[in-house]
Amino acid sequence: MGDMMSRRLSRFLFSAVAAFLLLAVIPSAAYAADAKIAFSDPSATVGDEFGVTMKFTSTSGDVLGNTSVYLTYDSDLIEFLADRSSSNANGGSGTIIVTSGMEGKTEVATQLYFNAKKPGTAKIQVITDNSEGYDSDGQSLNMVQIGSSTITIQAKEGASYSSDATLSSLRISPGVLDPEFSSDVDSYTTSVSLDTERLTVSAVTSDSGASVSVEGDEGLAEGENTVLCVVTAEDGTTTMTYTITVNKVEGGASAPEGGESETVPAEELEVLAELESSRSLSKIGVTALPSGVSAPAGLKESQITIGDTKVTGWTPVVAEGSTPEYVVFYGVTDDGSQGFYRYDMTDKTLQRYFQDVTSQTEGDMEDQDVVTLYNNLREDYMRMRVIAIVAGVIALILLIVLLVVKASSSGKADRREIRQEEFDDAPARKVRARRESQQSAERKLTQEERYMMDEEPEPEEEQEIDLIPVSRKTKEDSERLREEENLLKEQLASNLAAASKEEGQEEDFEFLDLDDDE
């Protein structure tokens, strides 16, 4: 019985271990929650204020954790109003950062407010490379849908706007346009190397009130790719699309390393605008990006208006505030020196721009520190979680082993006690058997004495005395048995007489043969 209980206990404990291990593994292999980003698509009139709703939603129903979404918008068509928007949205100059924390929600809605500057179709899009989100357990969210906002801006009634939707300049890097650019030609081809992932496009509109957007310039695939430059006139309705067919093949043009430019004669550079430092007499002629020159890494391309001319520049991603601290241009000096120049928008100073870690703004560095700290804390949490699970499993296994050993020892002790009791009880059983045997003999003698004293014998005892029927024996056997029986009766009578004399009683006994039929 002890072995059976031990086996049952072992099966129960191993089942408990299996259940515990299953529960321990499930959280470690938890799937990432699904989420989406959606926007509203409002309409507005030039000069009006309008709002756009952005919703970050967990489609799988999991509670959201920390999220950070970077947005871009057409700053030449709409102006971001940071003071009117939700407190978790900050930015300006074409970039917005929307953040949220551990609020215990499955959806976070953010209101973004803008002012419509010019007619046209403005876009608000998510910068997927910089955006990230986590659920409440620290698991990275699986973005199943990332939307965008399209804002239709109508011209004011009675206002006059230009319908010019042409480009005055179009340059690419790496590669060369074929045929040579002309504002009347809208289709071009070029070839780039297999290691080229992005085509840098520098497009300048003929009319300062027009806007341009570039599509398909990133993530170039091997073979044929299509890059579109869509120009929207000031009136917001007239458009013109310049198409660049990019062949990504072996032997195509490669971007120069480190953003260094190929030597281009200064006289061939078209000066679009001039910047002058308020603290020096230096002037820089701002030009379009020459062919074969790579745009500065880590900066966002923006359309900047200098005087009455719109030119292409590059600004840092703004974490806070409404305007970036500086803008980078490609320019040429009076002595023919050319390259990238940094213009400080606060101090109005000019200096050569060198691509290094110092090009990051203080806000960018703070954001990176926060992200790095969060990632380190998350890694520590996951590491401690694994250690806790392993320690729990080891402790449970040791507990099970201890219980099994204890159960086995208890069963053996029970069996030893039973055997010891049986051994200790053997002499007692023998004594009881002898006592019962003596009592049985005494009971038989007493029955015979009662019989000799003419008491009524019990039916069973009469049957025991008449053990052998005469019909079953021969005549000689019957006589012999009768003689033995008579001798036994005489002996009993003699014993009784002797006992009576010792007690002082004298009685005469006459032996009667009760069984004599003659």
Side-chain angles (χ1 to χ4, degrees):
M1 184 175 180
D3 292 340
M4 183 178 296
M5 291 182 63
S6 178
R7 287 195 298 270
R8 289 180 179 176
L9 179 60
S10 298
R11 286 197 297 268
F12 171 76
L13 292 176
F14 282 119
S15 300
V17 171
F20 178 82
L21 292 177
L22 181 61
L23 293 176
V25 170
I26 287 176
S28 299
Y31 66 91
D34 294 335
K36 69 175 183 179
I37 302 175
F39 298 84
S40 60
D41 298 318
S43 299
T45 302
V46 173
D48 291 348
E49 181 181 307
F50 64 93
V52 176
T53 302
M54 186 194 99
K55 292 184 178 181
F56 199 120
T57 307
S58 171
T59 58
S60 57
D62 297 87
V63 176
L64 296 173
N66 296 320
T67 63
S68 178
V69 181
Y70 283 72
L71 306 175
T72 61
Y73 64 92
D74 298 321
S75 58
D76 54 336
L77 296 179
I78 57 178
E79 177 186 7
F80 178 59
L81 304 176
D83 56 339
R84 293 274 292 114
S85 302
S86 298
S87 59
N88 61 320
N90 295 283
S93 300
T95 305
I96 302 173
I97 302 176
V98 180
T99 59
S100 65
M102 303 286 288
E103 302 175 5
K105 300 179 180 179
T106 59
E107 181 178 271
V108 177
T110 302
Q111 293 295 327
L112 307 173
Y113 285 93
F114 299 85
N115 182 45
K117 296 167 60 176
K118 294 190 304 182
T121 301
K123 300 281 289 185
I124 301 177
Q125 296 177 310
V126 177
I127 305 176
T128 56
D129 292 342
N130 295 339
S131 302
E132 59 184 358
Y134 301 91
D135 62 15
S136 58
D137 293 329
Q139 297 289 328
S140 179
L141 295 173
N142 179 29
M143 303 304 300
V144 296
Q145 180 182 346
I146 298 179
S148 61
S149 177
T150 301
I151 303 102
T152 303
I153 303 175
Q154 304 292 335
K156 278 187 177 181
E157 187 176 354
S160 177
Y161 298 95
S162 171
S163 60
D164 187 355
T166 61
L167 292 176
S168 62
S169 174
L170 179 62
R171 295 178 181 273
I172 61 172
S173 177
V176 178
L177 293 176
D178 184 22
E180 187 178 348
F181 172 76
S182 173
S183 60
D184 298 331
V185 179
D186 58 6
S187 296
Y188 301 89
T189 61
T190 190
S191 296
V192 297
S193 63
L194 293 176
D195 59 354
T196 302
E197 297 295 331
R198 181 178 184 273
L199 185 72
T200 301
V201 179
S202 177
V204 180
T205 60
S206 300
D207 182 78
S208 60
S211 61
V212 60
S213 62
V214 180
E215 302 174 5
D217 55 331
E218 296 183 352
L220 300 178
E222 185 175 353
E224 187 175 291
N225 301 265
T226 301
V227 178
L228 302 177
C229 295
V230 182
V231 183
T232 303
E234 186 183 23
D235 60 11
T237 58
T238 305
T239 62
M240 183 172 181
T241 301
Y242 292 84
T243 303
I244 305 173
T245 301
V246 182
N247 294 308
K248 186 175 178 179
V249 295
E250 186 176 354
S254 299
E257 295 183 2
E260 296 179 358
S261 64
E262 297 178 353
T263 302
V264 179
E267 59 271 13
E268 294 184 8
L269 295 175
E270 179 185 2
V271 177
L272 304 174
E274 285 189 349
L275 278 175
E276 182 176 355
S277 174
S278 61
R279 296 185 180 181
S280 66
L281 300 178
S282 62
K283 290 184 179 180
I284 301 295
V286 180
T287 70
L289 189 66
S291 176
V293 178
S294 297
L299 300 180
K300 174 183 173 293
E301 182 176 322
S302 303
Q303 295 291 318
I304 307 297
T305 300
I306 300 177
D308 295 331
T309 305
K310 181 181 292 185
V311 297
T312 300
W314 295 267
T315 59
V317 178
V318 180
E320 295 182 358
S322 59
T323 57
E325 296 180 358
Y326 64 89
V327 60
V328 175
F329 295 100
Y330 192 86
V332 59
T333 61
D334 293 337
D335 59 3
S337 177
Q338 55 184 288
F340 288 103
Y341 290 83
R342 169 174 166 159
Y343 182 73
D344 191 303
M345 294 184 177
T346 302
D347 295 339
K348 308 299 182 184
T349 57
L350 278 169
Q351 59 184 8
R352 287 295 298 266
Y353 174 76
F354 300 97
Q355 290 185 229
D356 53 22
V357 295
T358 60
S359 64
Q360 295 179 325
T361 64
E362 183 178 351
D364 294 336
M365 297 179 68
E366 290 178 356
D367 288 343
Q368 290 183 358
D369 292 341
V370 171
V371 172
T372 301
L373 177 61
Y374 175 80
N375 291 335
N376 292 337
L377 291 175
R378 183 169 177 268
E379 290 177 0
D380 293 340
Y381 165 76
M382 296 303 294
R383 185 161 46 248
M384 294 301 297
R385 182 180 182 181
V386 171
I387 293 174
I389 291 174
V390 172
V393 171
I394 294 175
L396 183 59
I397 292 174
L398 293 176
L399 177 61
I400 291 170
V401 171
L402 179 62
L403 292 176
V404 171
V405 171
K406 184 176 180 181
S408 177
S409 301
S410 177
K412 292 180 180 179
D414 292 341
R415 289 194 294 272
R416 284 197 300 268
E417 289 178 1
I418 292 172
R419 288 196 297 269
Q420 185 66 30
E421 289 178 359
E422 292 176 351
F423 177 78
D424 295 341
D425 197 42
R429 289 200 303 272
K430 292 180 181 180
V431 171
R432 286 196 298 270
R434 287 197 299 269
R435 185 178 300 163
E436 290 175 357
S437 177
Q438 291 175 0
Q439 291 175 355
S440 176
E442 291 176 358
R443 282 197 300 272
K444 289 181 181 180
L445 180 61
T446 303
Q447 290 171 358
E448 291 174 353
E449 291 175 352
R450 284 199 300 268
Y451 174 79
M452 297 303 298
M453 294 172 66
D454 295 333
E455 293 183 3
E456 283 286 334
E458 294 181 2
E460 292 182 358
E461 293 178 350
E462 287 183 354
Q463 293 175 3
E464 290 178 359
I465 294 173
D466 191 8
L467 297 175
I468 305 174
V470 177
S471 60
R472 295 183 183 180
K473 303 295 180 178
T474 62
K475 186 176 181 180
E476 293 179 356
D477 292 336
S478 297
E479 292 177 355
R480 182 174 56 79
L481 291 174
R482 189 178 295 277
E483 290 177 358
E484 292 178 356
E485 186 176 351
N486 290 333
L487 291 174
L488 177 61
K489 291 177 180 180
E490 291 176 357
Q491 185 178 357
L492 289 174
S494 176
N495 292 337
L496 289 173
S500 298
K501 289 180 179 182
E502 291 177 359
E503 294 176 358
Q505 297 179 0
E506 293 184 359
E507 295 184 4
D508 295 330
F509 290 90
E510 182 179 357
F511 181 78
L512 298 178
D513 188 358
L514 299 179
D515 295 333
D516 190 2
D517 295 336
E518 294 181 356

